[in-house]
Amino acid sequence: MSINSSWVPDEDPLTLFSERCWLQGSIVSAIAYGITVSLYFLSFHLLVRDKNRVELKQRLPLLIYITVSFVLGTLFMIALATFTQMAFIDDRNYPGGPNAFENNMFSIPVDDAGNAAFVLSNWLSDALVVWRFKVIYQRCRVPIWIVMLFPCLMLAGSVAMGIMFLIQVSTTNPYVTNGINFTLPYLSLSLALNIILTMAIVLRLLTFRYRIVSVLGPKYGTQYTSIAAMIIESAALYSAVSVTFLVLFGIGNPVSQVFVQSLNQFQTIATLLIVFRVAQGKGWTEETATYVMTARRSESRQLGKMRFASPGASLTLAGSGEIVKSGSGELQDRSYTFNDFPAKNDVV
């Protein structure tokens, strides 16, 4: 059975292409939302599994955080699905078709609700980046208020731009606005915040890895390498989608609609991936930072205390890399892992 050309809507090719991109963007966002749902319930399960009351109290901030992020992502998905249904089904005879409906009805309540959920979710993700930056730089030599000044200013700027963006999209379509378009500066600032702080975090972790390797040997640096990889991967996911959207949006390409509709879900996925690793006990803590910063000094002191005991006794070098002499006379090596530290402040 062949397709009759008369069935094609009486619209120009660019309009039809824009409508295809919009619909495909909704599908991509729905797929990403499925990943979000899976990560949320996996993370929630790990955070509450086999925990006593004290441990649950320590995990409560993370539970609240991922739940709020999940709810906002769900609200955005509901708004997106409803708006798409209105354009392609409920109001399909709107003059100009779905593309005109999107341009002219961008500020109706259901779309405003979706935009608000998108911005609030973005603020939460940016705040998590700033928080894990604080945790990892907590024990640095520079006063923490100086270290946190620049990230907090960027976060405040992101919040301010987000408010201006919401005000703008509540009255007009960012794709057709004639005045200042706050979409580009808002998302660009959020992207810059994520990239800059992620690079700073990775640099700090690689520095820690160097200190551990120089004292205990190469095999003890793998944990720090994996953390750096985790942070790079989590930021790369959001950054890649965001950069692609900003470039396409800047040149006015309709394909940008595919990415802007799924941007919220990919940012939530990146956030939940970090929390999921924390729930697995692989997160960075302030206690970990203290341990790494004192490892070299402690090792130096303990090396001076080494002594050989009588046959059958054990020779112990207490501390970060523990050397134990077994009854057979063989030296065995033990080392700490992140699971040796309490769960306090374990957001990375």
Side-chain angles (χ1 to χ4, degrees), residues 142-186:
V142 181
I144 191 62
W145 69 269
I146 296 179
V147 174
M148 293 301 300
L149 184 61
F150 178 69
C152 289
L153 286 176
M154 291 194 69
L155 181 61
S158 177
V159 172
M161 284 294 178
I163 295 173
M164 299 303 296
F165 168 78
L166 283 177
I167 294 174
Q168 183 179 64
V169 297
S170 66
T171 57
T172 184
N173 186 339
Y175 283 90
V176 296
T177 183
N178 295 321
I180 299 176
N181 194 334
F182 287 100
T183 303
L184 278 176
Y186 167 53

Side-chain angles (χ1 to χ4, degrees), residues 17-306:
F17 180 66
S18 179
E19 292 173 357
R20 294 190 192 102
C21 291
W22 177 13
L23 186 59
Q24 291 164 4
S26 299
I27 296 172
V28 172
S29 184
I31 295 173
Y33 178 70
I35 300 174
T36 298
V37 172
S38 300
L39 282 174
Y40 169 72
F41 284 106
L42 285 172
S43 300
F44 193 95
H45 172 71
L46 287 176
L47 287 172
V48 301
R49 184 183 62 182
D50 300 329
K51 299 293 188 300
N52 57 38
R53 181 174 297 181
V54 175
E55 291 173 330
L56 281 176
K57 187 177 180 180
Q58 293 173 341
R59 299 286 188 171
L60 186 59
L62 271 181
L63 290 170
I64 295 175
Y65 178 87
I66 64 173
T67 300
V68 173
S69 296
F70 175 71
V71 169
L72 290 173
T74 301
L75 291 176
F76 176 83
M77 196 64 220
I78 292 173
L80 175 61
T82 302
F83 190 71
T84 304
Q85 175 182 306
M86 292 172 64
F88 286 90
I89 300 175
D90 298 341
D91 300 293
R92 72 173 74 188
N93 291 328
Y94 184 87
N99 188 62
F101 183 89
E102 179 189 22
N103 291 335
N104 299 332
M105 299 295 175
F106 202 86
S107 57
I108 61 177
V110 64
D111 212 40
D112 284 342
N115 290 327
F118 170 80
V119 172
L120 290 173
S121 180
N122 184 264
W123 289 346
L124 283 178
S125 298
D126 288 348
L128 179 65
V129 176
V130 173
W131 173 249
R132 76 177 194 257
F133 176 85
K134 174 184 178 296
V135 170
I136 292 180
Y137 276 84
Q138 183 70 39
R139 304 294 180 180
C140 69
R141 298 178 181 178
V142 181
I144 191 62
W145 69 269
I146 296 179
V147 174
M148 293 301 300
L149 184 61
F150 178 69
C152 289
L153 286 176
M154 291 194 69
L155 181 61
S158 177
V159 172
M161 284 294 178
I163 295 173
M164 299 303 296
F165 168 78
L166 283 177
I167 294 174
Q168 183 179 64
V169 297
S170 66
T171 57
T172 184
N173 186 339
Y175 283 90
V176 296
T177 183
N178 295 321
I180 299 176
N181 194 334
F182 287 100
T183 303
L184 278 176
Y186 167 53
L187 293 179
S188 297
L189 184 59
S190 176
L191 176 63
L193 171 69
N194 280 267
I195 292 178
I196 293 174
L197 295 192
T198 297
M199 291 176 62
I201 290 170
V202 171
L203 180 62
R204 179 79 166 167
L205 292 178
L206 291 178
T207 301
F208 283 142
R209 179 185 182 277
Y210 172 78
R211 290 177 178 176
I212 288 295
V213 169
S214 64
V215 174
L216 303 178
K219 65 179 180 179
Y220 293 92
T222 56
Q223 182 67 48
Y224 302 91
T225 304
S226 65
I227 290 179
M230 174 194 70
I231 294 176
I232 291 174
E233 291 167 2
S234 64
L237 179 64
Y238 166 69
S239 299
V241 178
S242 184
V243 167
T244 305
F245 163 71
L246 289 173
V247 171
L248 294 172
F249 181 82
I251 63 177
N253 193 310
V255 180
S256 63
Q257 297 190 52
V258 175
F259 294 93
V260 71
Q261 295 182 80
S262 55
L263 185 61
N264 173 264
Q265 300 302 332
F266 280 110
Q267 188 171 36
T268 304
I269 289 171
T271 298
L272 289 175
L273 282 173
I274 298 174
V275 177
F276 182 72
R277 292 291 296 267
V278 172
Q280 289 179 314
K282 300 178 181 180
W284 182 275
T285 70
E286 293 182 8
E287 287 76 14
T288 309
T290 303
Y291 158 68
V292 175
M293 294 295 289
T294 59
R296 179 177 294 179
R297 183 170 61 254
S298 299
E299 189 73 9
S300 298
R301 290 200 304 264
Q302 292 157 353
L303 282 173
K305 297 179 182 178
M306 288 183 63

